[in-house]
Amino acid sequence: MKFIRFAVNYETLTGVLQDEMIREIKGNIFGNWEYTGSTFALNKVKPLAPLMPNQIIGIGANYVMKVEDLPSDLPEIPVFFFKPTSSVIGPEEEIVIPAGIDQVKFESELAVIIGKEAKNVPEEEVLDYVFGYTVANDVTAPQFFHKDGHWTVGKSFDTFTPLGPVIETELDPFQVSIEARLNNEEKQNSSTELMIIPIRKMISYLTNVMTLKPGDVILTGSPVGAEFVHSGDVIECVIKEIGTLKNTFVSSKESVY
Ligand code: MG
């Protein structure tokens, strides 16, 4: 099932996308919801980020180029970071490159949406707590990575977390490829089997640290091939089974400081 959030007539609505038609729903997608009976043509509405996350957690440097490169020993403490929910935008919205920043990268990623409160969940049970999946672009300004190691500033600018176009609840996350096309040229295309810390292990680890809640979004890392971009560049992050998340980079006229 594909859940979508969208704007029409200045209202924000939620629905289930079937082919090119949206059936509006009301209620909580993580709990009880029902169809309202209203339908909308997809091409007559403005798709939004498919949820407003409760919190956003990313993992760094999580892909190798080929299976033979996968390490036999996993890092003891994975590199996790938070992104602010204020950085979320939807499909077709502009990603703003802040003034004073000349190095911004796209990072196409599979985003996991948590559906149930999860604490101390063993790896084998992790997927029972997953509601669905969407596509994320973990936009990054590495020149703002702190020299002592933390990445927060470089990950946190407004518009730096495009999400969408839908939440797919029936995805097999182990059978998909994460792709990115920059100005129509393929830059990333890797299967999720190239993840260093696999999804079950990543989420189980997190639940041993913190309680995950419905609406938490976990960005599972970006394949090899992310590049720096410029104003006017069009980035499409693609997971075929979910859809294409397309955004354009623009320069800000305002100063960062
Ligand atoms: Mg990333």
Side-chain angles (χ1 to χ4, degrees):
M1 194 170 267
K2 288 181 162 75
F3 286 93
I4 185 167
R5 262 174 84 244
F6 59 101
V8 64
N9 299 331
Y10 305 103
E11 264 190 298
T12 297
L13 304 175
T14 304
V16 172
L17 180 64
Q18 290 170 340
D19 301 315
E20 299 296 301
M21 190 60 73
I22 300 168
R23 299 178 66 191
E24 191 201 355
I25 64 170
K26 64 177 180 187
N28 177 357
I29 60 170
F30 303 115
N32 294 320
W33 58 267
E34 57 187 356
Y35 289 107
T36 65
S38 299
T39 59
F40 299 87
L42 179 60
N43 63 7
K44 295 277 193 275
V45 306
K46 175 181 161 50
L48 304 172
L51 80 166
M52 285 313 293
N54 181 53
Q55 56 185 355
I56 307 165
I57 303 164
I59 187 165
N62 199 37
Y63 274 81
V64 291
M65 200 177 299
K66 49 189 193 301
V67 176
E68 305 85 80
D69 295 341
L70 284 168
S72 45
D73 291 324
L74 294 181
E76 211 162 303
I77 306 176
V79 180
F80 286 114
F81 56 88
F82 281 86
K83 297 194 84 165
T85 54
S86 49
S87 66
V88 172
I89 59 170
E92 304 284 348
E93 289 192 73
E94 291 176 339
I95 303 168
V96 179
I97 303 172
I101 297 189
D102 39 43
Q103 294 193 322
V104 170
K105 283 197 307 184
F106 62 85
E107 293 186 1
S108 185
E109 308 200 5
L110 173 68
V112 176
I113 319 287
I114 298 296
K116 284 193 284 192
E117 189 164 301
K119 179 68 183 167
N120 295 327
V121 178
E123 285 181 38
E124 317 82 72
E125 293 171 23
V126 157
L127 295 189
D128 298 343
Y129 295 81
V130 172
F131 177 74
Y133 304 85
T134 191
V135 185
N137 187 348
D138 174 22
V139 181
T140 300
Q143 80 191 75
F144 278 78
F145 284 4
H146 199 280
K147 63 177 167 45
D148 290 338
H150 79 72
W151 293 1
T152 302
V153 180
K155 296 282 189 181
S156 294
F157 291 94
D158 286 357
T159 74
F160 269 26
T161 313
L163 296 176
V166 298
I167 300 172
E168 172 59 85
T169 58
E170 279 147 51
L171 190 79
D172 177 352
F174 309 108
Q175 298 288 334
V176 296
S177 285
I178 315 303
E179 303 174 37
R181 289 196 295 265
L182 183 64
N183 303 323
N184 266 327
E185 189 183 332
E186 183 177 285
K187 296 294 183 183
Q188 295 183 298
N189 189 350
S190 291
S191 155
T192 49
E193 69 182 7
L194 295 174
M195 282 187 192
I196 295 169
I197 299 177
I199 290 170
R200 288 192 187 90
K201 188 175 286 291
M202 180 189 312
I203 295 174
S204 174
Y205 184 99
L206 281 173
T207 71
N208 288 318
V209 177
M210 65 187 88
T211 303
L212 295 178
K213 301 240 170 106
D216 282 352
V217 173
I218 296 153
L219 311 182
T220 56
S222 196
V224 173
E227 285 185 3
F228 291 117
V229 295
H230 302 98
S231 183
D233 284 345
V234 176
I235 183 69
E236 292 170 283
C237 299
V238 185
I239 298 173
K240 288 196 177 76
E241 294 79 357
I242 301 173
T244 296
L245 173 63
K246 179 178 175 181
N247 300 91
T248 302
F249 287 91
V250 299
S251 288
S252 164
K253 289 165 192 71
E254 292 167 41
S255 170
V256 185
Y257 305 105

